[in-house]
Amino acid sequence: MNILIVQRFDLSSVSCARRVLSQANELAARGHSVTLVDFPNPERPGFAGSGAIQAHEDIQVIPLSRKAIDIPGSCRRLANLDPKPDIVHLWKSYPDAALPALYACDRFDVPLHYDWDDWEPSIARELTGSSLAAHVTGRWDRALCRICDTCSVASSELRKTALEWGMNPEQLFDAPVGADLELFHPRPPDPGILEKIGGKERPVLVYAGQLEVTFYADQAVDMLRILDRKGIQALLLIVGGGSHEEDLKRHAEEQGVLISLYCTGYVSGDEVPRWLSIADVALAPFEDTLAARCKSPLKIAEYLAMGLPIVASDVGDVLNMVQHAGFIIPAENPEMMAICTAKILKDTDLWHSMSLAARKRAEERYNWKWHTDQLEAAYRKRSEERRVGKECTIQC
């Protein structure tokens, strides 16, 4: 199958683009021919490395312009693809990606698959500071739910919303995020990483994720202060960078724990497992917002694959993801986070049982192979329905 994946990030500099890169790699490994849209941003320093997707010769990367004035040109470029796609897979509902995707569907008369993984109005509002941008993005989500032939949803909250908006349940496919099980797996602490942090003389707690929009690392800093009061000297490792990194450091300084905070800044996807390897407990704090409830957090999938015990907020699908691999606590509760983290650190048997449960959970469900099974099922369903419909029209 020839698959056109239209997304709207710079593949070389946006950390969450690892999701679509993983999808493309897995689809190509299964024998599909994949064309992947890229939106290069020269203002961002590259770190993810779009070259990582070149391992499969059946992946073609097409750069498009980020400027709104160039949307017609982007439409024309996708309309001239050769060979033609059998299906268009759209990730993110922003018009600069959605309009070219819809144009390609119309040009080639092929199905549209909408890959819905976030509550975009909240993200658009935080990125732009504009309520109008949030409203427009929300309208696009509604429109795409009506227009698309099939839709994969990353969370039960998104599934519920899609049904409320009138989608046929047969159009919906559950596709939470996954981890690369070959890249993310339990391993001894990486010596090079230990050297960077000055050795491991105290427990290491990790928060992985970007520090741009909808981040919650400040809760981990608050928890670190509480642990310190309880006599537990730990290092908080922040794996990821972003515009709020300095804000986080200021918050740590105000709490008196800056000396116990280590921020990696932006790191490539391939480097993330090396950093996670030195952690004793993984943290996933959230606020109980609609945006958080709609997520299937990538950090949790990768924590699970690494066999890390997790302390996470009870928001959205988090409880179902973690199960016996950690403790689930009320949202925005650093005190409880500290209590649970201390319990894991002090109980070796508990740590090992949670570690085994974490890896098993990743192998059972939260991996890119299971995720891609769902995508293929969605692709086949609508493509087959269209084929049968056309044959019926010809015979009639």
Side-chain angles (χ1 to χ4, degrees):
M1 181 178 283
N2 294 326
I3 303 166
L4 170 61
I5 300 180
V6 182
Q7 60 87 44
R8 50 99 57 198
F9 293 122
D10 179 355
L11 296 175
S12 70
S13 70
V14 178
S15 61
C16 64
R18 285 195 291 126
R19 179 183 187 278
V20 76
L21 295 175
S22 297
Q23 289 175 332
N25 273 318
E26 184 62 31
L27 287 166
R30 297 183 183 204
H32 299 287
S33 178
V34 179
T35 300
L36 179 59
V37 165
D38 186 16
F39 278 82
N41 184 351
E43 297 179 1
R44 290 179 64 96
F47 70 94
S50 57
I53 62 174
Q54 299 304 326
H56 293 289
E57 61 183 10
D58 288 328
I59 295 179
Q60 176 187 191
V61 179
I62 296 183
L64 297 182
S65 171
R66 304 178 62 82
K67 298 178 180 178
I69 196 173
D70 292 330
I71 289 177
S74 296
C75 292
R76 288 192 296 271
R77 184 160 191 190
L78 295 189
N80 289 321
L81 288 179
D82 187 21
K84 62 166 275 188
D86 298 307
I87 193 163
V88 176
H89 173 141
L90 172 63
W91 180 42
K92 299 298 181 185
S93 57
Y94 299 89
D96 50 1
L99 286 171
L102 291 170
Y103 190 84
C105 286
D106 183 67
R107 166 71 174 80
F108 296 112
D109 189 25
V110 296
L112 173 69
H113 176 80
Y114 181 37
D115 184 357
W116 196 12
D117 76 323
D118 263 320
W119 186 250
E120 300 299 343
S122 296
I123 295 174
R125 181 180 291 106
E126 186 163 348
L127 280 172
T128 65
S130 168
S131 296
L132 177 60
H135 175 75
V136 170
T137 305
R139 298 297 295 179
W140 269 99
D141 270 333
R142 282 180 176 269
L144 288 167
C145 284
R146 291 196 300 269
I147 295 170
C148 70
D149 295 278
T150 53
C151 177
S152 53
V153 288
S155 66
S156 55
E157 186 73 24
L158 289 177
R159 166 178 276 274
K160 182 182 75 172
T161 301
L163 293 173
E164 289 173 351
W165 288 353
M167 285 196 72
N168 184 336
E170 294 185 0
Q171 292 178 269
L172 287 169
F173 294 79
D174 295 315
V177 297
D180 182 335
L181 297 182
E182 295 180 4
L183 183 61
F184 291 82
H185 58 82
R187 65 186 75 185
D190 187 285
I193 300 300
L194 287 178
E195 184 178 354
K196 287 184 178 182
I197 68 168
K200 190 174 180 182
E201 299 178 354
R202 49 183 171 164
V204 176
L205 316 176
V206 66
Y207 173 97
Q210 51 80 22
L211 302 178
E212 299 285 358
V213 298
T214 59
F215 81 101
Y216 311 100
D218 53 339
Q219 293 185 44
V221 168
D222 293 338
M223 185 239 17
L224 188 64
R225 175 180 56 83
I226 296 169
L227 277 181
D228 189 62
R229 289 207 311 261
K230 294 177 180 293
I232 299 176
Q233 306 297 317
L235 176 71
L236 176 58
L237 176 66
I238 306 294
V239 181
S243 59
H244 290 291
E245 182 174 324
E246 292 305 315
D247 296 333
L248 184 67
K249 289 179 178 178
R250 280 192 293 271
H251 182 61
E253 186 172 19
E254 292 168 358
Q255 298 299 317
V257 293
L258 181 58
I259 194 172
S260 298
L261 180 69
Y262 188 103
C263 297
T264 67
Y266 289 120
V267 297
S268 69
D270 291 347
E271 288 290 301
V272 172
R274 295 182 60 208
W275 287 98
L276 295 184
S277 74
I278 70 170
D280 297 292
V281 178
L283 306 175
F286 297 99
E287 296 175 2
D288 190 7
T289 63
L290 181 56
R293 292 196 297 272
C294 287
K295 282 185 176 297
S296 167
L298 180 60
K299 62 166 62 66
I300 291 183
E302 293 178 345
Y303 293 162
L304 292 171
M306 291 292 294
L308 287 172
I310 300 166
V311 180
S313 301
D314 187 8
V315 175
D317 285 0
V318 170
L319 174 60
N320 187 51
M321 292 182 74
V322 174
Q323 293 193 354
H324 301 297
F327 287 118
I328 303 301
I329 62 172
E332 302 179 64
N333 194 325
E335 180 73 36
M336 185 60 69
M337 190 185 305
I339 292 171
C340 293
T341 299
K343 185 174 179 60
I344 296 171
L345 292 174
K346 293 176 180 178
D347 190 333
T348 303
D349 290 339
L350 178 63
W351 190 98
H352 282 292
S353 68
M354 286 182 170
S355 176
L356 291 173
R359 179 64 186 185
K360 182 179 180 182
R361 193 70 178 130
E363 291 173 345
E364 288 175 344
R365 183 178 176 93
Y366 295 99
N367 60 77
W368 291 118
K369 294 184 184 301
W370 194 93
H371 176 98
T372 306
D373 287 344
Q374 301 301 104
L375 292 183
E376 284 187 316
Y379 296 164
R380 286 195 302 268
K381 175 178 176 58
R382 189 51 180 156
S383 296
E384 179 65 18
E385 287 176 350
R386 282 202 171 204
R387 184 186 65 79
V388 171
K390 289 180 179 179
E391 289 178 353
C392 180
T393 300
I394 292 172
Q395 292 172 2
C396 292

